[in-house]
Amino acid sequence: MRLVAGLGARFAGLLFVFLGVTLAIYLLVFALPGDPIRALGGDRPLPANVVETLREKYNLNAPLWKQYMDYVLGLFRGDFGLDFRGRSVSDQMAARWPVTIALALTAWAIELVVGIFLGVLAALKAGTAIDKAVLWSTIIFGAVPVFVLAVTAQLVLGARLKLFPVAGIEAGWPMSYMLPALVLAVFGLAAISRLMRDSVIDNLRADYVRTARVKGLSRQRIVGVHVMRNSMVPAVTYLATDLGSLLGSTIVVEGVFNLPGVGSLLFDAIRAHEGTTIVGVSVALILIFLITSLVVDALHYLLDPRIR
């Protein structure tokens, strides 16, 4: 019951966050100077009657607050609206989500496995050359801008060494997704490995570890069962929230590797001044991030007895 009550309160708080953030995005996109309908004509202005018809169709003549309220009501029905060419934003996202989700989950899995392994290894070898190598390698790779790392990886591992496809998804999963996923995962690896290292070291010094040793438990059982479970809390927190961040971080990587995902859809919408598509993709990413935050709270309750 405490878990349900806590999650209910958390959900109510996230609802207010959702409304506030979506309002800010909507205002930033549609309250800016300029007429998106007139921009459709480019260098050849549209006739006045066509402009007025399109403005009426897309509810642009209504006050901005009413436009936002109508948009939010549509969201609760699962309707993300139409772009200025009459195409459903929901359908466009649905066609591209599989690519973005496959890319993000591949990167997330690399972060999970490699990051936790490096963190535990560095903790068990604290102060040695292995510990320092893990620390400095994660710092160096994490400091490189994502577009620099993406282009370098594409040139070296793709074009020259031919270990992975250079671009596109023709080779399917996992080959087409592995190289861009590695680029995305590098930044999360640095954080997860350091979180796990510090957490494991702290737990190895805890009283319950000394008690387990006195009782004669093996080192493998102490580390593999007791220490790992308590040390996973900060890593799980980061991994859960980072899944939403990975989905939003694919814009640059999808552009470099020519992947037809939601990130490239958002990039194309920004260039074409498609406000409804920009808001729709942003709102979808916000929803994913908020849902993962709610899942984090539940995982905290399940993993850490002290929270219960």
Side-chain angles (χ1 to χ4, degrees), residues 146-167:
V146 62
F147 65 90
V148 174
L149 189 61
V151 172
T152 303
Q154 186 182 49
L155 177 63
V156 176
L157 300 178
R160 292 186 178 177
L161 299 180
K162 301 186 184 303
L163 298 176
F164 303 97
V166 175

Side-chain angles (χ1 to χ4, degrees), residues 111-187:
E111 288 185 7
L112 174 66
V113 176
V114 180
I116 291 177
F117 172 77
L118 291 178
V120 175
L121 178 64
L124 297 178
K125 302 292 184 179
T128 66
I130 294 176
D131 181 22
K132 295 177 181 178
V134 172
L135 175 63
W136 282 107
S137 61
T138 53
I139 291 176
I140 291 172
F141 282 105
V144 180
V146 62
F147 65 90
V148 174
L149 189 61
V151 172
T152 303
Q154 186 182 49
L155 177 63
V156 176
L157 300 178
R160 292 186 178 177
L161 299 180
K162 301 186 184 303
L163 298 176
F164 303 97
V166 175
I169 58 173
E170 287 77 14
W173 189 90
M175 291 306 297
S176 294
Y177 295 88
M178 189 58 67
L179 187 55
L182 284 170
V183 173
L184 279 176
V186 162
F187 303 96

Side-chain angles (χ1 to χ4, degrees), residues 29-30 58 71 80-84 89 273-281:
V29 172
F30 287 103
Y58 294 106
Y71 184 78
F80 284 82
L82 302 175
D83 66 11
F84 295 134
V89 175
H273 304 286
E274 288 284 0
T276 309
T277 305
I278 297 172
V279 174
V281 174

Side-chain angles (χ1 to χ4, degrees), residues 232-244:
M232 284 292 292
V233 173
V236 166
T237 301
Y238 181 87
L239 282 166
T241 55
D242 190 51
L243 180 57

Side-chain angles (χ1 to χ4, degrees), residues 39-88:
L40 292 176
D43 296 332
R44 301 179 63 181
L46 296 174
N49 61 330
V50 174
V51 171
E52 186 60 29
T53 300
L54 290 175
R55 288 185 62 84
E56 190 67 29
K57 176 181 178 180
Y58 294 106
N59 200 29
L60 296 178
N61 289 329
L64 193 59
W65 65 267
K66 188 176 186 307
Q67 294 181 39
Y68 173 71
M69 292 301 298
D70 291 341
Y71 184 78
V72 170
L73 291 175
L75 288 178
F76 287 118
R77 298 192 301 268
D79 181 12
F80 284 82
L82 302 175
D83 66 11
F84 295 134
R85 289 171 174 79
R87 299 171 298 185
S88 169

Side-chain angles (χ1 to χ4, degrees), residues 233 236 240 294-304:
V233 173
V236 166
L294 196 62
V295 172
V296 166
D297 290 340
L299 289 175
H300 279 179
Y301 185 88
L302 295 174
L303 285 174
D304 195 339

